[in-house]
């Protein structure tokens, strides 16, 4: 038996490792299963090259929990190690990895992703003593046993194991006995190893014996009895070694994508809207499947997130920095060995490979959306409500995506039509271009509340869009600055004739003097802190008073409410309105010509309240007074 000292500078690095990763102790299992997987894949590879002789069978990995003896065993049938290899890979290389880790992170306290390539030595996070029993696949190699209690001393000796492969025995520390529960191990296997490429056995299970078909017999009365199904005991394999994303898109049908979705998120009962299969091998390696879920108001962004894998090993479901922000509401899997994980997030965002990955994903998603739109416009339009928030957010946050979105971003109308940008402009250009040559895009945010304004616009043959996302004012602002000669106005922003000003100016029925008098009379009856009075000669059939909110003011407030930069304080601004007075309406003439103050005041108040009512601005005491006054008027 040989004993030796492991060459480390730190006298005892394990307490430090433990402390560092105190919240992430559970990764030991993932690391050891990864090593077992690597060893098995290596053996398979050597076998195909003819370097590993004989039939290697169908190797699996087995996990055994022995609660009584406080042991967890990870057993593989892979390449194994010779005594020299244990010296080299375990004593020197693995240790130096651990050392490097401690060096690198001893000053760091935050911002590190909770998964390091700490490897084999992470076993000391849960074990007070670790044994390795291993026999190399190489002919005539002797089995060896290595043991270490976490101090730099180890022992290495020959042993009489005959099976090829490696068995890691963890003697679980008293502070980690939680890992001796089957349920805990099952949970970890489901979290980290569900899609690893080598079958992983944990315990056994009973299934119906496929060789046995229960017989049904009839007794003399014709009563049927079926004998019980015979059961057999088989290995319980906890993983699917060939998950959908490892296959070629041509091998998969729509149902396969859907069933993989549910395999990935067993608690998710809704169907995804569509999926995007990612598959690149140059200039980086990445595979995966992304799903567009239905985005509803009460979606929980913390649930069922995109999962990041490296060679089928689960790493994290925090893909910040790797997947562009606007796509983080998607679901699915990304698998890439090229994402550096043992670094901080700020480093990650500056990393060239990661940037390429992020822009590749953006491009793939944009292409897929363009294709869906082109190939099946109707179904794309139907899905728009559910996906628009992601697309609009993407248009706002990624310039490249904004450019591409011209091909598929939809602008729905209040009548249920859907246009892409160019179609929309083509459609409204002739009728909705004002005297300054600006094409005015009318939109509503609430078809019910803005009904009368929408009606007025429609009577002129104008199209009214229905734009109701929470971030729409930001997008409108962006469209106005990127496209030429267009502007958006909400349909209730002013009287329709003022929203799209054509040349035909109307003549007022009132003289200049009369207008001045009218203004004074109105001003003494209407609170001027909130309402700016604006006299307009309009169609005599148009309402006498119209309350509007200036587009600019309203939009700034909305943007501020949904997090717009540079407009701090706007959200606290009082609401300001315009009171547009139609000087050509008969009632306005009557107000002007009513000589008794009392009667005049009553007419103004009543007309004003009606205008407020149509904008849902009449509440409380004002409403009570209005009702009282109305009764008096009809008496
Ligand atoms: P890494 O896996 O990143 O190389 P580890 O610390 O996990 O680092 O493992 C160190 C080395 O020990 C591996 O590269 C491998 O050569 C060897 N090793 C670990 N576990 C096994 C195993 N189950 N079978 C064969 N070799 C192993
Ligand atoms: Mg490893």
């Amino acid at each position: 038996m040989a004993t030796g000292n492991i060459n480390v500078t730190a006298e005892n690095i394990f307490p430090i490792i433990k402390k560092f990763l105190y919240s992430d102790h559970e990764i030991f299992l993932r690391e050891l299963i990864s090593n077992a997987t690597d060893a098995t894949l290596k053996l398979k590879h050597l076998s195909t090259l003819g370097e590993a002789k004989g039939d290697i069978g169908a190797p699996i990995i087995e996990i055994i929990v022995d609660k009584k003896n406080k042991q967890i065993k990870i057993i593989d049938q892979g390449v194994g190690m010779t005594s020299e290899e244990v010296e080299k890979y375990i004593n020197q290389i693995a240790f130096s990895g651990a050392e490097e880790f401690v060096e690198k992170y001893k000053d760091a306290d935050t911002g590190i992703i909770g998964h390091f390539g700490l490897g084999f030595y992470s076993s000391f996070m849960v074990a007070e003593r670790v044994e390795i029993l291993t026999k190399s696949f190489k002919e005539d190699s002797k089995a060896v046993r290595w043991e270490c209690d976490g101090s730099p001393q180890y022992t290495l000796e020959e042993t009489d194991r005959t099976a090829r492969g490696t068995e890691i025995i963890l003697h679980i520390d008293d502070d980690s006995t939680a890992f001796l529960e089957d349920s805990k191990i099952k949970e970890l296997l489901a979290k980290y190893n569900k899609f690893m490429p080598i079958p992983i056995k944990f315990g056994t299970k009973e299934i119906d014996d496929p060789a046995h078909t229960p017989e049904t017999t009839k007794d003399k009365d014709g009563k049927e009895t079926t004998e019980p199904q015979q059961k057999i005991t088989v290995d319980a394999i906890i993983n699917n070694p060939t998950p959908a994303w490892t296959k070629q898109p041509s091998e998969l049908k729509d149902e396969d994508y859907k069933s993989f979705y549910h395999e990935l998120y067993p608690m998710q009962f809704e169907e995804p809207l569509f999926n995007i299969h990612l598959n690149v091998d140059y200039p980086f390696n990445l595979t995966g499947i992304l799903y567009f879920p239905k985005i509803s108001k009460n979606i929980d962004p913390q649930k069922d997130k995109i999962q990041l894998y490296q060679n089928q090993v689960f790493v994290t479901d925090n893909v910040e920095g790797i997947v562009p922000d606007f796509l983080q509401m998607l679901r699915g899997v990304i698998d890439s060995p090229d994402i550096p994980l043992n670094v901080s997030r700020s480093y990650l965002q500056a990393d060239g490979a990661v940037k390429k990955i992020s822009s590749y994903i953006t491009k793939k998603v944009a292409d897929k959306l363009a294709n869906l739109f082109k190939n099946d416009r109707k179904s794309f339009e139907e899905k728009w409500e559910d996906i628009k928030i992601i697309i609009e957010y993407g248009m706002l946050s990624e310039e490249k995506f904004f450019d591409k979105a011209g091909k598929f971003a939809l602008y729905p109308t209040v009548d249920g039509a859907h246009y892409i940008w160019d179609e929309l402009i083509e459609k409204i250009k002739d009728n909705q271009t004002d005297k300054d040559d600006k094409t005015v895009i009318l939109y509503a945010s609430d078809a019910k509340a803005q009904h009368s304004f929408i009606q007025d616009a429609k009577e002129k043959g104008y199209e009214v869009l229905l734009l109701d996302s929470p971030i729409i004012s930001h997008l409108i602002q962006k469209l106005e600055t990127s496209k030429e000669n267009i502007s958006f106005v909400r349909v209730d922003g002013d009287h329709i004739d003022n929203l799209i000003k054509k040349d035909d100016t109307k003549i007022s029925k009132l003289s200049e003097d009369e207008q001045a008098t009218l203004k004074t009379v109105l001003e003494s009856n209407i609170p001027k802190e909130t309402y700016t009075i604006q006299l307009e000669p309009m169609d005599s059939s148009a309402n006498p008073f119209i309350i509007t909110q200036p587009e600019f003011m309203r939009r700034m407030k909305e943007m501020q409410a949904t997090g717009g930069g540079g407009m701090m304080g706007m959200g606290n601004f009082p609401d300001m309105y315009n009171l547009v007075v139609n000087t050509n309406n008969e009632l306005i003439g009557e107000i002007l010509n009513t000589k008794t103050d009392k009667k005049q005041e009553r007419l103004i108040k009543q007309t004003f309240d009606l205008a407020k009512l149509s904008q849902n601005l009449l509440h409380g005491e004002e409403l009570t007074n209005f009702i009282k006054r109305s009764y008096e008027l009809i008496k």
Side-chain angles (χ1 to χ4, degrees):
M1 175 168 115
T3 56
N5 260 309
I6 292 161
N7 182 25
V8 276
T9 44
E11 184 44 40
N12 190 343
I13 62 172
F14 301 108
I16 310 178
I17 293 175
K18 277 195 179 189
K19 193 167 147 256
F20 264 121
L21 297 178
Y22 69 96
S23 63
D24 261 328
H25 283 178
E26 62 181 41
I27 63 155
F28 76 93
L29 189 63
R30 180 193 71 186
E31 291 298 327
L32 296 177
I33 294 178
S34 292
N35 286 349
T37 302
D38 291 347
T40 312
L41 289 173
K42 255 182 231 166
L43 181 74
K44 283 187 161 186
H45 186 64
L46 290 171
S47 167
T48 57
L49 295 177
E51 284 180 34
K53 303 273 183 284
D55 181 14
I56 61 165
I60 64 165
I61 294 167
E62 183 171 7
I63 316 298
I64 297 173
V65 176
D66 179 347
K67 196 172 170 178
K68 210 172 97 223
N69 294 309
K70 294 208 250 173
Q71 289 176 12
I72 298 177
K73 296 180 190 170
I74 295 96
I75 305 161
D76 70 60
Q77 300 154 13
V79 282
M81 285 178 276
T82 62
S83 170
E84 295 74 37
E85 285 166 339
V86 174
E87 278 279 355
K88 187 169 165 201
Y89 296 127
I90 300 296
N91 293 340
Q92 292 168 28
I93 296 185
F95 239 112
S96 69
E99 227 188 309
E100 200 182 302
F101 164 80
V102 172
E103 252 324 291
K104 209 162 166 181
Y105 296 111
K106 69 172 173 247
D107 301 322
D109 49 9
T110 52
I112 303 171
I113 307 173
H115 33 75
F116 312 89
L118 193 56
F120 172 72
Y121 274 99
S122 59
S123 39
F124 288 101
M125 294 194 301
V126 297
E128 51 166 19
R129 189 156 59 88
V130 178
E131 285 177 75
I132 303 175
L133 302 170
T134 182
K135 186 173 182 309
S136 167
F137 75 98
K138 290 173 188 158
E139 275 165 81
D140 303 327
S141 62
K142 300 219 158 59
V144 288
R145 179 178 161 280
W146 175 94
E147 186 180 329
C148 181
D149 64 1
S151 74
Q153 272 107 42
Y154 68 89
T155 58
L156 183 61
E157 62 187 352
E158 269 182 31
T159 182
D160 53 5
R161 181 186 169 88
T162 52
R164 176 200 69 217
T166 303
E167 176 167 344
I168 310 281
I169 305 171
L170 306 177
H171 297 270
I172 299 300
D173 216 337
D174 283 340
D175 64 10
S176 298
T177 49
F179 293 109
L180 290 167
E181 299 300 327
D182 278 6
S183 58
K184 182 70 190 171
I185 296 299
K186 268 200 187 123
E187 177 199 321
L188 295 184
L189 292 172
K191 178 169 174 189
Y192 292 107
N193 308 99
K194 200 155 91 174
F195 300 116
M196 289 195 67
I198 305 294
I200 300 167
K201 175 189 171 188
F202 183 53
T204 54
K205 60 178 180 185
E206 290 217 315
I207 58 161
D208 292 351
D209 182 356
H212 172 247
T213 319
E215 260 176 54
T216 305
T217 44
K218 261 189 199 169
D219 66 11
K220 52 185 184 318
D221 306 326
K223 203 171 154 254
E224 285 187 0
T225 38
T226 307
E227 63 169 336
Q229 168 75 55
Q230 281 173 22
K231 303 274 184 184
I232 50 167
T233 304
V234 293
D235 291 351
I237 301 296
I238 61 91
N239 57 331
N240 169 6
T242 52
W245 83 84
T246 62
K247 298 178 184 165
Q248 290 299 318
S250 55
E251 290 174 57
L252 298 165
K253 293 199 195 64
D254 208 32
E255 304 95 82
D256 299 322
Y257 285 109
K258 282 195 178 141
S259 71
F260 177 63
Y261 184 75
H262 295 296
E263 194 181 342
L264 197 57
Y265 306 117
M267 299 312 288
Q268 182 55 249
F269 301 108
E270 262 195 49
E271 294 295 340
L273 294 170
F274 50 84
N275 65 271
I276 300 168
H277 199 127
L278 307 168
N279 203 340
V280 245
D281 41 38
Y282 183 82
F284 50 84
N285 236 295
L286 183 134
T287 50
I289 301 172
L290 294 179
Y291 294 90
F292 266 76
K294 265 193 162 149
I295 305 281
S296 59
K297 275 214 179 74
N298 41 23
I299 194 165
D300 178 0
Q302 290 312 312
K303 220 184 109 208
D304 295 342
K305 301 202 288 182
I306 297 177
Q307 300 181 359
L308 178 67
Y309 287 74
Q310 279 197 347
N311 298 321
Q312 295 174 238
V313 186
F314 174 81
V315 178
T316 177
D317 65 359
N318 179 357
V319 293
E320 205 183 301
I322 296 157
V323 172
D325 278 356
F326 79 100
L327 294 177
Q328 285 182 24
M329 272 185 279
L330 302 192
R331 300 203 172 116
V333 171
I334 289 174
D335 188 337
S336 172
D338 293 333
I339 299 171
L341 293 168
N342 50 346
V343 293
S344 70
R345 296 239 159 241
S346 56
Y347 179 87
L348 200 61
Q349 265 147 9
D351 185 80
V354 173
K355 268 196 189 138
K356 278 197 199 105
I357 288 174
S358 172
S359 64
Y360 164 79
I361 294 173
T362 305
K363 184 177 169 303
K364 261 313 252 222
V365 170
D367 291 348
K368 175 78 183 191
L369 291 167
N371 253 323
L372 284 172
F373 174 75
K374 208 172 90 196
N375 296 339
D376 190 352
R377 177 164 181 158
K378 195 167 159 283
S379 112
F380 188 81
E381 288 178 358
E382 281 162 10
K383 290 179 179 126
W384 181 251
E385 271 305 300
D386 295 312
I387 61 175
K388 66 181 178 188
I389 189 93
I390 294 179
I391 296 178
E392 289 168 353
Y393 183 25
M395 291 169 76
L396 275 171
S397 54
E398 302 272 327
E399 206 50 42
K400 284 215 180 89
F401 189 79
F402 179 83
D403 295 341
K404 285 182 175 268
K407 286 203 205 112
F408 54 76
L410 294 180
Y411 300 88
T413 71
V414 288
D415 300 317
H418 291 80
Y419 301 115
I420 56 169
W421 182 262
D422 289 346
E423 293 168 349
L424 173 71
I425 299 302
E426 191 52 40
K427 175 97 187 166
I428 65 173
K429 203 172 56 196
D430 292 336
N431 200 16
Q432 289 177 227
T433 298
D434 68 10
K435 61 183 170 46
D436 303 318
D437 235 12
K438 260 211 161 134
T439 302
V440 179
I441 300 160
L442 296 172
Y443 70 101
S445 59
D446 182 334
K448 262 198 197 136
Q450 294 149 9
H451 180 262
S452 69
F453 294 95
I454 294 169
Q455 271 329 98
D456 290 349
K458 280 201 201 163
E459 261 161 41
K460 303 241 168 204
Y462 297 158
E463 286 282 344
V464 180
L465 301 182
L466 184 61
L467 304 178
D468 56 6
S469 316
I471 53 170
I472 200 68
S473 35
H474 296 266
L475 184 62
I476 286 175
Q477 202 77 3
K478 165 126 186 104
L479 287 162
E480 284 181 344
T481 45
S482 357
K483 312 271 184 193
E484 262 157 42
N485 272 331
I486 58 114
S487 74
F488 282 81
V489 286
R490 206 165 86 179
V491 73
D492 59 345
D494 204 336
H495 184 263
I496 191 67
D497 289 340
N498 292 333
L499 292 179
I500 306 179
K501 282 210 169 92
K502 303 280 178 79
D503 257 338
D504 46 310
T505 40
K506 287 225 164 56
I507 303 160
S508 179
K509 284 183 185 168
L510 303 185
S511 71
E512 300 259 314
D513 280 354
E514 284 174 319
Q515 290 188 38
T517 321
L518 177 67
K519 207 159 181 192
T520 334
V521 171
L522 293 178
E523 269 166 3
S524 59
N525 283 290
I526 285 168
K528 59 171 173 296
E529 325 66 73
T530 316
Y531 293 92
T532 310
I533 294 167
Q534 204 178 301
L535 303 188
E536 300 269 354
M538 294 188 286
D539 217 276
S540 60
S541 66
N543 286 343
F545 282 3
I546 302 164
I547 295 171
T548 62
Q549 195 173 23
E551 176 77 15
F552 171 79
M553 181 74 90
R554 200 209 66 247
R555 211 190 284 173
M556 287 302 144
K557 280 180 77 106
E558 280 171 7
M559 285 169 74
Q560 215 258 344
T562 49
M567 283 160 295
M568 294 307 282
M570 270 309 242
N572 308 326
F573 237 64
D575 277 308
M576 303 276 278
Y577 301 95
N578 290 335
L579 178 66
V580 182
V581 179
N582 179 8
T583 55
N584 289 343
N585 183 292
E586 220 177 311
L587 188 58
I588 298 300
E590 206 178 314
I591 288 174
L592 187 65
N593 296 322
T594 302
K595 290 302 167 226
T596 42
D597 280 359
K598 233 186 148 111
K599 198 172 169 209
Q600 189 177 50
E601 188 189 316
R602 210 168 55 178
L603 271 181
I604 295 171
K605 287 235 160 82
Q606 191 71 5
T607 316
F608 183 48
D609 281 354
L610 283 166
K612 275 184 165 175
L613 198 62
S614 76
Q615 279 286 41
N616 197 18
L617 289 169
L618 197 65
H619 308 285
E621 196 184 344
E622 290 182 333
L623 183 60
T624 315
N625 291 342
F626 167 76
I627 292 169
K628 236 190 198 152
R629 197 186 319 115
S630 302
Y631 281 132
E632 273 161 27
L633 282 168
I634 57 174
K635 263 206 296 240

